[in-house]
Amino acid sequence: MHESERELMAARQQKRDTLIAANISPYPNGFTPQHHAAEVEKNHAAEPREPKPQDLAVHYSLAGRVMFLRSFGKASFIKIQDQSGQIQIYCKRDALNEKDWLAFNQIDLGDIVYIEGHPFRTKTGELTVEAIRFVLLTKTLRPMPDKWHGLTDHETRYRQRYVDLMVNEDVRKIFEKRSRMIRQIRHFFDSRDFLEVETPVLQPMYGGAAARPFTTHHHTLDLDLYLRIAPELYLKRLIVGGFERVYEMNKNFRNEGISLQHNPEFTSLEFYWAYATYQDVMQLTEELFREVTQKVCGTSIIQYQGETLDFSKPFERLSVHDALRRFCQPDEQIFHNVEVARTFAKQRGVEVKSDDSHGKIMMALFDALVEKKLRHPTFITDFPLEVSPLSRKKDSNPELVDRFELYVVGRELVNAFSELNDPDDQRQRFDAQVAERARGDEEAHAMDEDYVRALEFGMPPTAGFGLGIDRFAMLLCDVPSIRDVILFPLMRKEA
């Protein structure tokens, strides 16, 4: 803490002590405002600038944080900020009782106050409430920042989000928009007869994705548990149980790196739809993005970091192989010969292991050479079987699966597929993943005997979908980092 900040805090502490000595609580309770700043503005928006005598009969009660203070001795103007916005307050000595005036004279920027009063307009035409009652609700001890911008402040903004929200209206609007987006997503699925459910976050067996889990221990049961990496296998158990359309929007946890697109704790949406195929889900995905974008942003054509994204027209569809053909112009033999593919990867500087399968090499090439070039909404289809342990094989080519991913601005937003519902095939896939784990792949899927047992009871033909909510919010809010749409992102320990 800088010396200047200590001095400011000491001055605020002195004011707090003055209030206490005068038998005025610096933290009183029981004062509930009946109005908001935006409501007052709306009520008087059409009025002329001159004050109206009848306004004395209009009575407002408001509360908020002091964001501006200008004193003229026996009269002062302040601006308070509540959730709806800011409004100017006029306080003068002869309109307040002695106790209220004493409390008013102990306020600083950032304090939280309650006022009651009448509206009028100043000579400059600004709508103002003249206080006839003033209560200091919260005496703040730390000064508000006078500057809150620049690269060096980003870490502090994320760490002290409460201050970021306090002083930065644009940040508040981002999280209001995120909330509207989530409400609209729920409306989208509720209106299509999907049932919202909750499945375990603490799981005895993690699965549903290729990721390293966080581990914990339940002492009473003496049981190792994992924070879920995905809800997929539990949601599909519900399909087995007879629910035909289910969705869940909740937290997942993956013990992996932090980047502009990754936070170890993140929000996902997954849905499962019995008697549907991945082709049906592609159509529904277009409808979801189009409808939510239109409702939240007022248009389905938006700007993201200088790029125009059009969700109003059908999304492009490319297979993994066709995407490689378009962006890499390889020899056709890479799609048929694993050694040719391995050599091509080395020529392009793509790291692959000596024992990587053909399908893994294809995806390594795609991730390194294609993904970032998919700027407009694009469905990538026909993934290799080796990297899709829960997906249904294609009838036309069993080396591939009925799966798609949606890419926008070079980022994966959606992963979806027709679900594997053959229990014998699923067990074989799990066995192959266990072998991968034995060779050092920490993200390979573990064997889940109970899930195989559930499939043995019979799961109808089903398609499933997973969406990264935070990445979708990044698009709609036009921000470059996932931390900008997570209220409290994970941070390093403070030095």
Side-chain angles (χ1 to χ4, degrees), residues 200-354:
V201 172
L202 279 176
Q203 301 180 350
M205 173 67 69
Y206 65 91
R212 180 188 300 170
F214 289 95
T215 61
T216 187
H217 186 79
H218 189 275
H219 292 286
T220 301
L221 296 179
D222 191 20
L223 181 66
D224 288 334
L225 295 169
Y226 306 92
L227 292 179
R228 75 174 179 200
I229 60 176
E232 177 173 344
L233 300 187
Y234 281 93
L235 290 170
K236 288 194 285 194
R237 286 173 169 94
L238 297 181
I239 297 291
V240 171
F243 291 118
E244 295 180 356
R245 300 185 184 199
V246 294
Y247 77 95
E248 181 172 12
M249 198 156 18
N250 215 325
K251 295 289 188 180
N252 290 342
F253 306 85
R254 297 182 183 178
N255 197 349
E256 55 190 25
I258 295 174
S259 72
L260 293 178
Q261 298 182 54
H262 297 89
N263 192 67
E265 176 184 356
F266 63 97
T267 305
S268 79
L269 163 72
E270 290 201 18
F271 75 78
Y272 291 85
W273 182 6
Y275 310 110
T277 71
Y278 82 114
Q279 297 282 355
D280 298 318
V281 173
M282 270 196 275
Q283 180 61 39
L284 193 66
T285 300
E286 286 194 21
E287 294 173 10
L288 172 68
F289 273 75
R290 190 169 299 124
E291 182 175 313
V292 171
T293 303
Q294 177 70 45
K295 295 289 187 180
V296 174
C297 300
T299 175
S300 53
I301 304 174
I302 63 172
Q303 294 294 313
Y304 178 74
Q305 302 292 291
E307 295 184 62
T308 299
L309 302 177
D310 188 350
F311 294 106
S312 67
K313 59 187 181 182
F315 300 173
E316 185 171 12
R317 302 184 183 194
L318 286 172
S319 70
V320 171
H321 288 185
D322 285 344
L324 286 166
R325 289 185 180 100
R326 175 182 295 185
F327 293 103
C328 303
Q329 294 84 44
D331 186 300
E332 278 294 310
Q333 286 302 307
I334 75 160
F335 302 118
H336 309 291
N337 186 299
V338 64
E339 292 307 322
V340 173
R342 199 184 314 278
T343 299
F344 181 78
K346 292 178 180 178
Q347 290 171 345
R348 292 298 185 95
V350 178
E351 184 176 349
V352 295
K353 297 178 181 178
S354 60

Side-chain angles (χ1 to χ4, degrees), residues 148 154-168 171-172 174-175 481-489:
W148 203 254
H154 274 295
E155 292 294 312
T156 309
R157 284 182 51 212
Y158 298 140
R159 194 180 300 280
Q160 299 179 17
R161 182 68 85 185
Y162 40 89
V163 181
D164 194 22
L165 293 167
M166 185 191 308
V167 301
N168 193 333
V171 173
R172 293 196 302 275
I174 285 172
F175 289 101
S481 171
I482 197 170
R483 293 184 175 190
D484 293 323
V485 294
I486 296 176
L487 280 168
F488 298 101

Side-chain angles (χ1 to χ4, degrees), residues 385-391 393 398 420-437 439 444-449 451-453 455-456:
L385 174 67
E386 301 98 309
V387 297
S388 311
L390 299 169
S391 306
K393 293 178 183 177
L420 174 60
N421 63 345
D422 178 340
D424 292 338
D425 191 354
Q426 183 64 81
R427 182 180 295 279
Q428 292 170 13
R429 307 265 196 104
F430 279 157
D431 285 339
Q433 288 287 299
V434 170
E436 289 288 332
R437 179 181 291 273
R439 287 195 290 269
H445 211 292
M447 171 63 73
D448 190 332
E449 291 286 357
Y451 179 67
V452 174
R453 177 170 58 190
L455 292 184
E456 289 172 343

